Amino acid sequence: MTASCSFCIRFSIAAATFGALLLAPATSARGQGYAPQEAVQKMTLGEGLEAKLFACEPEIRQPILVKCDDRGRLWVIQYLQYPNPAGLKRVQVDRYSRTVYDRIPPPPPRGPKGADRITICEDTNGDGRSDSFKDFISDLNLCTALEFGNGGVYVLQAPYLLFYADRDGDDRPDGDPEVLLEGFGMEDAQSLANHLTWGPDGWLYGLNGSTTTCRIRGLEFQQGVWRYHPQTKAFEVFCEGGGNGFGITFDAVGRLIYSSNGGLCWHGVQGGYYEKSFGKHGPLHNPYAYGWLGSVPHVGLTGRPNTGGTIYLADAFPGQYRGAFLCGDFLGHTCSWWKVEPRGSTIKMSLGGLLLDSHDTWFGATDLCLSPDAAVYVCDFCDKRTAHPDPDANWDTSNGRVYKLAPKGSGDRTAAVDLREMKSSELIALLRDSNYWRRDRARRILSERRDASTYLRLREQASQQEDGDLALQSLWALHVSGGFDDAIAAQLLNHASEHVRTWTVRLLGDARRVRPPLAETLAKLAANDPSATVRAQLASTAKRLPGDDAALIIEALLRRDEDEGDPYIPWLLWWAIEDKAVSDSSLIVPMFASDQARRRPLLRANAPRLVRRYAAEAKAGAYDACVKLLEAAPSAERHALFAGLAQGLSEQNAQGAEPISPRLKQVIASAWNASPSASLYLELALATGVEGAQQQLLSIIGDPSAEQEELIAALGLLARFGTGDSTPAALERIDPDQPAAVAHAAIAAANRFENAQVTEHLLSVYLQLPAVVRSDARDALLSRPVSALALLTQVESGKIDPQEFPLDQLRRVALHGDEQIDALVRKLWGAIQPATPEARLADVRRFSNDLRAAAGDKRAGKAIYMKHCGVCHRLFDEGNHLGPELTKANRGDRQALLTNIVDPSSVIRKEYASYVLTTESGQVLTGVLAEQDAASVTLLDAKNQRTRVRREEIDQLEESPVSLMPEKLLEQLTPQQLRDLFAYLQQ
């Protein structure tokens, strides 16, 4: 029903394309497009705050990022080139504007000149409003980020990370930029690499969006956080996943928090894997991650996406805002603030309230930043459009604002500051400043100076135990200045502050090696430290260290039973184990094969994953590891390990997989012989070719006394491991006397094989089958050209009623591209064409009149929703996830909602795009890509049913322009039912 959120600008629930062209805008209760000063007067502010207009059009237009330099001046990126880069030709573009261009442009200034610019805004007369506008760089071509440091400005313009030197500080680049990195993806202007931010560790952090693929120094990745170290020139992916990100911030203790179009925000940890739209964007790059972390849990609805968020780390605002997460709520045309609280090794948030309500539907906050005087700048893209872009549309680039949020009565004057002129001792003093803007800039300047005279004082401050905040700030400053060494690390691993200990562990791990005494200390910390935050970092660090050192930490953490329920630690620990599982199996396997393994919950939880990992590796040594783990496991836990084994075998990549070892096959055979009717052991026996397994499977299916659950499981195994010769066994279970669930499983099993018997049998029993089973039979028959023609011939002869065929089934027949089939469809049903824009417009107007005629009953509407919408969509924690989540969608816009229901294919969210899969045997399947792994693809169809297809069986997999959501959905409802449904949807 809805369109998708996106990068940093056009985030929104979009109206359908035909609606945008033909329908008049819906009347809104909110104002639109106020003049700059009037817009300020219309705003409602959070308690104790006021808003001031700092800059606006014509000097500032389409701003996407704001940031203060070391002199306190505000820099703004004006994103005027969007949505197409200048000077490039589109070779290919899909409906989401993901584009292949004719070439990779050279970096500036040799590449094509665009309209983007980086502008310095300054209040020179002290009236609180910028009166000086100076471009540092113009002619940029989709510029998405900037950061200051090392005598210049870092700039992101895909595919490049650039450095513009300005050693004399005259606000003009000294020359052409240095290319630091190249390979950032360019396919989509809504998901480019963005938002450069210094971390407290001296790395430059950035985000990448969901639909651009980066290939940098041999690393391929999409969404997630990456980082670059200016001194060492190192580059790495910090964490992967999290949606279409825009905005990085660090809290007071150095937690990385990034914003995206999913959830509220994400707590990014080193080496973490986060949720993504796996069907659309593919699996995580580590196929053995086996899980992922979610977004920060929060209480309270958001106006997603929550762009450019920042933690308020200053004391000018009223006390409730200190330490709060401030963000733009793009769809709500507001900004909000969120209370942050600990949650084990991570955090959770709850809505504090509105920071700013614009009362203006053109308002779109893309970024927020802290200022030297502890105010907050808010960057407003200011655009009447919130839909995804037509790349050829004529975009209005005439508007843009920057507002300054400040305490009431704080006056207009901006605090003057120039940290560059301070002595190193003065910069160290700023590490205590109540405004973290000053702390962060002081630390960064110290990192550039690398002044050895500061080390003694910084070490003393880091080592003192009374002020943990100062100790942490001093540790960071010492590290970035070059004064961090093993001696101070040994002291700080015993510090009273958990965050000092956490960061000491992390900084040691960044070197990817530690000397033996420190390795032993880290292991002792893993065994004894009371802080979950420290233990989470130890797990992340173990992944980075060599096997011997990592194993000591891993083994100690596995004994920490209290971490079983932590939101992060179990997964971080698994990822450390997985990283060493193959390379250091001699260290890892004994941990899980020991007597203590059965007594520790974290060992028990990870043992099945480890067996799965070794089974998926498909090498002789990995098979031996499986045998050792299976034989060592107590009988009560062996079933879980065998389940992991079955899953791992199913995930093997056919290319390079070695035959299963005789010893492992023998272990499987023994387990199956001991429990011959158990579905799991039969699956393993079938997968590994144990003698007699096929016969056992067929006997279960043919057993008239078999329980329904057992039958369905056996038929599922037949679909995976059966052959054409086993088709008759499945056909015996397709008759009117079988339960519908059994018949469905039998049809799925029989239809995996191209067999004339299947067509003949389905047609012979079709009329006697229950309606729900006939639908499955039609799906099966229509999935192949030969059987589709046979079915349609029966319809033509009058034996089958053509009214039984819903429109979405008939449209699937066209995928075969068979002239004879197409002719029969035209003869029996006429031209199966999508409705014209004019017809859809008429439908929308008709339904709109019905909705206005009377009130609806939301309680009655809930039943209608669950019947017609809940199969695919989730609303208020009810329904399924096949289609977009509706709870946080823009349900208040009735016309956009109605438009998307009438024409579901006009705008399809990227992660819910439908695919057409053709198998080597000619079967055509459609559905959403629910899962992908190295071995298979799983489709989720319109009935919410999953079909897993091995990659070697796939002939073709293509994206479909047609939504899985059926058309004519509302035609089935009476006017009152329509009103009831919308009353429920829009409550």
Side-chain angles (χ1 to χ4, degrees):
M1 290 185 180
T2 56
S4 78
C5 302
S6 57
F7 175 45
C8 57
I9 301 154
R10 318 287 179 182
F11 306 100
S12 182
I13 303 294
T17 302
F18 84 91
L21 296 174
L22 297 177
L23 299 179
T27 301
S28 173
R30 302 167 69 95
Q32 294 192 31
Y34 295 119
Q37 197 58 56
E38 185 183 6
V40 179
Q41 302 305 316
K42 295 288 185 181
M43 291 177 178
T44 302
L45 281 302
E47 181 184 357
L49 302 178
E50 63 183 9
K52 306 171 184 179
L53 178 68
F54 185 76
C56 65
E57 67 266 15
E59 292 86 2
I60 296 298
R61 297 175 292 136
Q62 310 288 268
I64 62 164
L65 185 139
V66 284
K67 187 166 290 189
C68 294
D69 68 9
D70 296 341
R71 295 157 61 182
R73 303 175 304 173
L74 188 73
W75 291 49
V76 179
I77 293 178
Q78 301 189 59
Y79 202 53
L80 300 168
Q81 185 58 48
Y82 180 86
N84 299 306
L88 303 181
K89 293 181 180 179
R90 297 197 299 266
V91 174
Q92 181 181 343
V93 60
D94 67 14
R95 67 172 178 268
Y96 310 115
S97 300
R98 291 176 303 191
T99 305
V100 176
Y101 295 105
D102 61 337
R103 63 194 175 103
I104 297 175
R110 294 180 288 112
K113 297 185 185 303
D116 292 352
R117 54 192 59 222
I118 296 175
T119 303
I120 307 169
C121 307
E122 192 172 6
D123 171 17
T124 63
N125 59 15
D127 66 355
R129 184 165 174 175
S130 177
D131 51 76
S132 171
F133 300 90
K134 181 193 309 182
D135 287 342
F136 178 73
I137 319 169
S138 58
D139 301 331
L140 292 173
N141 206 2
L142 296 181
C143 169
T144 54
L146 67 89
E147 184 57 284
F148 314 103
N150 297 303
V153 182
Y154 296 87
V155 172
L156 262 175
Q157 177 181 292
Y160 305 106
L161 172 62
L162 306 168
F163 178 71
Y164 285 87
D166 180 19
R167 308 293 181 195
D168 56 8
D170 64 353
D171 298 330
R172 291 192 297 269
D174 296 341
D176 293 348
E178 178 186 358
V179 176
L180 302 178
L181 296 172
E182 57 183 301
F184 292 101
M186 298 180 61
E187 303 95 312
D188 185 357
Q190 301 180 78
S191 62
L192 299 173
N194 64 84
H195 227 275
L196 296 171
T197 304
W198 287 112
D201 50 8
W203 289 74
L204 191 59
Y205 287 77
L207 280 171
N208 199 71
S210 57
T211 53
T212 55
T213 298
C214 304
R215 296 177 179 87
I216 301 172
R217 298 183 182 176
L219 291 175
E220 179 181 299
F221 64 99
Q222 292 87 34
Q223 55 197 261
V225 180
W226 53 269
R227 63 180 190 169
Y228 171 79
H229 200 287
Q231 273 77 43
T232 66
K233 311 301 182 186
F235 172 83
E236 61 182 45
V237 177
F238 183 78
C239 61
E240 181 185 352
N244 206 3
F246 186 78
I248 292 178
T249 188
F250 291 87
D251 70 5
V253 296
R255 295 187 189 95
L256 187 156
I257 298 168
Y258 63 108
S259 306
S260 81
N261 62 349
L264 171 63
C265 59
W266 306 76
H267 171 203
V269 294
Q270 191 171 39
Y273 296 101
Y274 291 82
E275 186 177 7
K276 57 190 288 195
S277 299
F278 298 106
K280 179 64 183 178
H281 301 127
L284 294 163
H285 280 73
N286 179 0
Y288 313 114
Y290 297 157
W292 55 86
L293 304 173
S295 58
V296 172
H298 58 277
V299 177
L301 292 179
T302 80
R304 288 175 27 183
N306 307 107
T307 52
T310 190
I311 298 289
Y312 185 73
L313 295 173
D315 58 2
F317 283 17
Q320 67 265 32
Y321 299 107
R322 187 169 180 87
F325 179 67
L326 316 181
C327 62
D329 294 341
F330 206 88
L331 291 178
H333 311 291
T334 63
C335 297
S336 60
W337 67 277
W338 297 77
K339 301 173 186 175
V340 183
E341 299 176 274
R343 176 177 171 253
S345 63
T346 180
I347 55 173
K348 60 183 178 180
M349 296 186 182
S350 59
L351 181 62
L354 284 177
L355 193 69
L356 179 161
D357 189 342
S358 69
H359 303 288
D360 185 350
T361 57
W362 287 30
F363 177 87
T366 48
D367 196 29
L368 296 87
C369 78
L370 186 62
S371 76
D373 58 354
V376 171
Y377 288 107
V378 178
C379 177
D380 174 15
F381 195 73
C382 192
D383 199 318
K384 63 183 177 181
R385 296 178 184 266
T386 53
H388 284 298
D390 171 358
D392 295 317
N394 183 21
W395 295 98
D396 180 5
T397 59
S398 62
N399 304 306
R401 287 88 188 263
V402 177
Y403 301 102
K404 188 174 184 180
L405 304 186
K408 282 184 178 178
S410 59
D412 294 328
R413 189 169 184 83
T414 301
V417 62
D418 190 347
L419 273 63
R420 302 171 306 167
E421 304 302 321
M422 288 186 174
K423 298 176 182 178
S424 294
S425 58
E426 294 173 315
L427 293 173
I428 292 176
L430 287 181
L431 298 179
R432 301 173 184 264
D433 199 286
S434 62
N435 183 349
Y436 277 56
W437 181 89
R438 297 174 188 270
R439 297 188 186 198
D440 294 345
R441 270 57 186 182
R443 182 177 62 250
R444 204 215 66 245
I445 295 171
L446 287 169
S447 76
E448 296 170 12
R449 292 182 183 176
R450 300 184 76 79
D451 184 352
S453 69
T454 63
Y455 295 170
L456 178 59
R457 182 176 172 189
L458 289 172
R459 285 178 181 140
E460 289 174 348
Q461 291 184 175
S463 301
Q464 56 80 33
Q465 305 289 319
E466 294 76 23
D467 187 343
D469 180 48
L470 177 62
L472 183 60
Q473 292 287 331
S474 300
L475 166 61
W476 288 337
L478 181 65
H479 170 71
V480 299
S481 300
F484 180 77
D485 56 24
D486 285 1
I488 190 64
Q491 291 183 49
L492 298 183
L493 288 174
N494 295 303
H495 200 279
S497 166
E498 63 177 329
H499 300 297
V500 171
R501 299 195 306 275
T502 296
W503 271 95
T504 304
V505 172
R506 177 160 157 184
L507 297 176
L508 285 169
D510 276 351
R512 295 189 178 271
R513 60 178 180 79
V514 289
R515 290 190 172 89
L518 283 175
E520 293 172 8
T521 304
L522 292 177
K524 290 177 182 176
L525 213 60
N528 301 308
D529 198 287
S531 168
T533 302
V534 175
R535 298 194 298 273
Q537 182 58 54
L538 282 161
S540 290
T541 294
K543 182 180 175 182
R544 301 174 67 86
L545 296 178
D548 288 346
D549 296 335
L552 293 173
I553 297 171
I554 291 169
E555 189 163 17
L557 291 174
L558 284 168
R559 299 193 190 103
R560 301 301 296 266
D561 299 351
E562 66 268 40
D563 290 333
E564 180 185 14
D566 186 85
Y568 275 24
I569 292 175
W571 281 116
L572 293 172
L573 184 51
W574 162 248
W575 295 326
I577 294 166
E578 186 280 320
D579 189 74
K580 312 304 176 190
V582 174
S583 61
D584 296 277
S585 61
S586 62
L587 299 172
I588 297 298
V589 171
M591 294 182 199
F592 290 84
S594 66
D595 290 340
Q596 68 162 316
R598 68 195 67 181
R599 298 192 300 270
R600 298 296 189 185
L602 287 171
L603 278 155
R604 290 198 303 270
N606 282 298
R609 293 188 192 120
L610 189 58
V611 173
R612 176 183 173 187
R613 172 66 183 90
Y614 285 130
E617 181 69 11
K619 303 294 182 186
Y623 293 140
D624 290 343
C626 288
V627 170
K628 291 176 183 176
L629 293 169
L630 288 165
E631 290 182 337
S635 56
E637 297 169 18
R638 198 166 293 164
H639 185 274
L641 270 63
F642 274 111
L645 176 66
Q647 191 166 4
L649 292 175
S650 75
E651 293 165 345
Q652 288 183 348
N653 190 328
Q655 293 184 344
E658 296 180 5
I660 192 165
S661 68
R663 181 68 185 123
L664 181 55
K665 188 172 181 178
Q666 181 183 347
V667 170
I668 291 169
S670 297
W672 174 55
N673 289 329
S675 303
S677 61
S679 177
L680 171 62
Y681 300 117
L682 178 56
E683 175 186 349
L684 285 164
L686 289 164
T688 55
V690 173
E691 186 176 351
Q694 281 284 342
Q695 291 83 345
Q696 171 72 11
L697 177 64
L698 295 177
S699 69
I700 294 172
I701 294 172
D703 184 357
S705 63
E707 296 289 335
Q708 178 173 321
E709 185 177 343
E710 183 183 20
L711 264 179
I712 292 171
L715 287 164
L717 292 176
L718 189 69
R720 288 178 57 191
F721 302 110
T723 65
D725 295 338
S726 54
T727 302
L731 296 181
E732 288 178 9
R733 291 294 181 175
I734 307 173
D735 68 55
D737 297 329
Q738 295 294 324
V742 173
H744 167 74
I747 290 172
N751 197 42
R752 291 299 297 271
F753 311 104
E754 188 173 17
N755 195 313
Q757 286 179 285
V758 177
T759 302
E760 181 181 347
H761 183 82
L762 287 176
L763 290 175
S764 69
V765 300
Y766 180 85
L767 294 175
Q768 288 77 47
L769 296 173
V772 65
V773 181
R774 288 203 303 273
S775 176
D776 291 336
R778 288 194 302 274
D779 282 338
L781 289 165
L782 293 173
S783 69
R784 288 188 171 88
V786 173
S787 55
L789 183 60
L791 175 62
L792 297 180
T793 301
Q794 293 271 358
V795 179
E796 182 186 30
S797 68
K799 295 179 181 179
I800 296 176
D801 185 356
Q803 296 301 314
E804 289 200 2
F805 290 70
L807 185 62
D808 62 311
Q809 277 188 330
L810 291 174
R811 284 191 173 155
R812 264 179 265 156
V813 180
L815 298 172
H816 296 305
D818 185 288
E819 292 184 4
Q820 190 175 0
I821 291 175
D822 293 343
L824 270 177
V825 171
R826 286 193 297 271
K827 177 181 178 181
L828 296 167
W829 291 278
I832 308 298
Q833 299 290 341
T836 64
E838 291 78 10
R840 292 193 180 111
L841 176 59
D843 286 340
V844 170
R845 286 173 173 165
R846 174 165 55 88
F847 292 132
S848 293
N849 290 335
D850 290 340
L851 288 169
R852 285 194 292 266
D857 180 350
K858 65 183 180 183
R859 281 180 288 191
K862 180 178 179 180
I864 298 169
Y865 168 83
M866 294 306 297
K867 178 180 179 181
H868 295 282
C869 310
V871 174
C872 296
H873 297 279
R874 193 162 184 83
L875 177 63
F876 307 133
D877 294 324
E878 294 188 274
N880 292 304
H881 293 287
L882 177 59
E885 160 77 47
L886 299 181
T887 307
K888 299 173 185 176
N890 189 17
R891 293 176 287 110
D893 189 337
R894 175 182 289 179
Q895 191 170 42
L897 187 60
L898 182 58
T899 297
N900 283 319
I901 298 174
V902 170
D903 187 14
S905 295
S906 61
V907 180
I908 306 172
R909 284 181 57 162
K910 300 174 186 180
E911 60 268 40
Y912 300 107
S914 179
Y915 279 75
V916 178
L917 186 154
T918 306
T919 68
E920 292 286 354
S921 66
Q923 185 181 18
V924 176
L925 303 169
T926 61
V928 170
L929 274 178
E931 295 173 14
Q932 297 185 62
D933 57 41
S936 67
V937 166
T938 300
L939 290 182
L940 188 63
D941 67 18
K943 298 176 182 177
N944 215 26
Q945 296 168 344
R946 291 173 178 262
T947 303
R948 185 172 184 260
V949 184
R950 298 279 303 178
R951 289 191 181 273
E952 60 264 28
E953 298 174 9
I954 299 173
D955 178 58
Q956 198 167 19
L957 180 65
E958 294 182 322
E959 190 175 318
S960 169
V962 179
S963 171
L964 275 187
M965 181 175 168
E967 294 188 11
K968 305 296 184 183
L969 182 67
L970 301 182
E971 300 285 353
Q972 308 170 48
L973 307 181
T974 66
Q976 185 57 48
Q977 286 175 325
L978 176 70
R979 291 189 285 268
D980 294 344
L981 173 62
F982 269 70
Y984 179 69
L985 286 173
Q986 295 196 281
Q987 64 179 298

